[in-house]
């Protein structure tokens, strides 16, 4: 660690960030990367993804350095906010991709699927079994990739009602599948 790094205060670091001073940016990385990586690991749980997201976060910090306002909070808090948003955006995209993959995977049953409903798509089968209030929520959650909170907001329902309807719908579908297996 060099002497300047130990002596650099937040005002100096902010000034260097705003002027795109590469030496200051290196100091910022050395000072904050470890803590931010720890936060990313708690959010994404994958060291490779966390390392990539750390780099992406620092690119955003470099590009948006002129936007930092010391009256709004400390520099580390601003870094933390950018890093956390980067990780949450990544998880949203990953969830959307997984949901799209699942929708394609379940849009038609496998060739060896033999129950009486084998000729229709899985979603159509689910739609035929559930009441409207349950079908709408299941569609939003599993085919739309929405969180429980997003569904509650979109349908103007209490969060507990959304969770209960999902639980009841899944219970009903499990019971129907169990009956089909016993035929």
């Amino acid at each position: 660690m060099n002497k300047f790094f130990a002596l650099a205060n937040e005002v100096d670091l902010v000034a260097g960030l705003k002027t795109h001073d590469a030496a200051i940016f290196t100091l910022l990385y050395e000072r904050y990367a470890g803590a931010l990586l720890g936060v990313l690991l708690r959010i994404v749980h994958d060291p490779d993804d966390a390392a990539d997201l750390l780099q992406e976060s620092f690119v955003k910090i470099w590009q948006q350095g002129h936007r930092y306002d010391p009256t709004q909070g400390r520099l580390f808090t601003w870094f933390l906010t950018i890093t956390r948003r980067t990780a949450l955006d990544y998880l949203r995209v990953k969830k959307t991709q997984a949901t799209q993959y699942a929708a394609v995977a379940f849009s038609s049953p496998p060739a060896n699927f033999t129950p009486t409903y084998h000729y229709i798509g899985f979603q159509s089968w689910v739609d035929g079994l559930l009441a409207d209030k349950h079908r709408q929520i299941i569609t939003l959650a599993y085919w739309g990739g929405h969180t429980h909170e997003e569904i509650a907001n979109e349908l103007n329902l209490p969060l507990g009602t959304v969770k209960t309807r999902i639980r009841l719908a899944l219970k009903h579908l499990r019971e129907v599948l169990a009956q089909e297996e016993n035929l």
Side-chain angles (χ1 to χ4, degrees), residues 42-100:
R42 284 192 296 275
I43 295 172
V44 300
H45 308 291
D46 181 272
D48 292 334
D49 289 344
D52 290 344
L53 291 169
L54 180 65
Q55 181 177 352
E56 186 177 334
S57 297
F58 269 96
V59 167
K60 289 178 181 179
I61 289 166
W62 176 258
Q63 292 171 339
Q64 298 173 14
H66 64 280
R67 293 184 179 170
Y68 172 68
D69 181 0
T71 65
Q72 299 296 314
R74 299 204 40 121
L75 186 61
F76 177 73
T77 305
W78 187 68
F79 284 4
L80 186 61
T81 300
I82 289 174
T83 303
R84 184 176 173 277
R85 285 180 182 163
T86 301
L88 294 176
D89 288 346
Y90 167 79
L91 291 177
R92 277 189 212 102
V93 167
K94 190 174 178 180
K95 179 181 176 184
T96 300
Q97 289 171 342
T99 301
Q100 289 170 347

Side-chain angles (χ1 to χ4, degrees), residues 168-182:
L168 292 174
L170 292 176
K171 179 181 175 191
H172 179 68
L173 291 173
R174 275 193 299 274
E175 290 169 355
V176 170
L177 285 173
Q179 289 173 356
E180 288 285 334
E181 288 177 357
N182 292 330

Side-chain angles (χ1 to χ4, degrees), residues 7-56:
L7 298 176
N9 63 32
E10 191 164 303
V11 173
D12 296 333
L13 295 174
V14 170
L17 178 64
K18 289 186 178 214
T19 60
H20 285 146
D21 182 325
I24 293 291
F25 191 73
T26 300
L27 294 176
L28 289 168
Y29 187 88
E30 289 174 4
R31 184 175 285 184
Y32 297 113
L36 296 175
L37 182 61
V39 169
L40 287 165
L41 285 168
R42 284 192 296 275
I43 295 172
V44 300
H45 308 291
D46 181 272
D48 292 334
D49 289 344
D52 290 344
L53 291 169
L54 180 65
Q55 181 177 352
E56 186 177 334

Side-chain angles (χ1 to χ4, degrees), residues 107-163:
S107 63
S108 61
N112 61 354
F113 194 66
T114 57
T116 58
Y117 51 84
H118 72 281
Y119 57 90
I120 59 175
F122 188 74
Q123 185 175 3
S124 299
W125 175 76
V126 169
D127 290 348
L129 291 173
L130 297 176
D132 287 343
K133 65 183 183 180
H134 294 123
R135 182 178 61 248
Q136 185 179 29
I137 289 175
I138 291 295
T139 300
L140 288 170
Y142 292 95
W143 281 273
H146 291 70
T147 65
H148 294 169
E149 293 83 7
E150 290 169 342
I151 294 168
N153 289 334
E154 186 171 327
L155 300 179
N156 199 26
L157 292 170
L159 181 59
T161 300
V162 170
K163 290 180 179 184

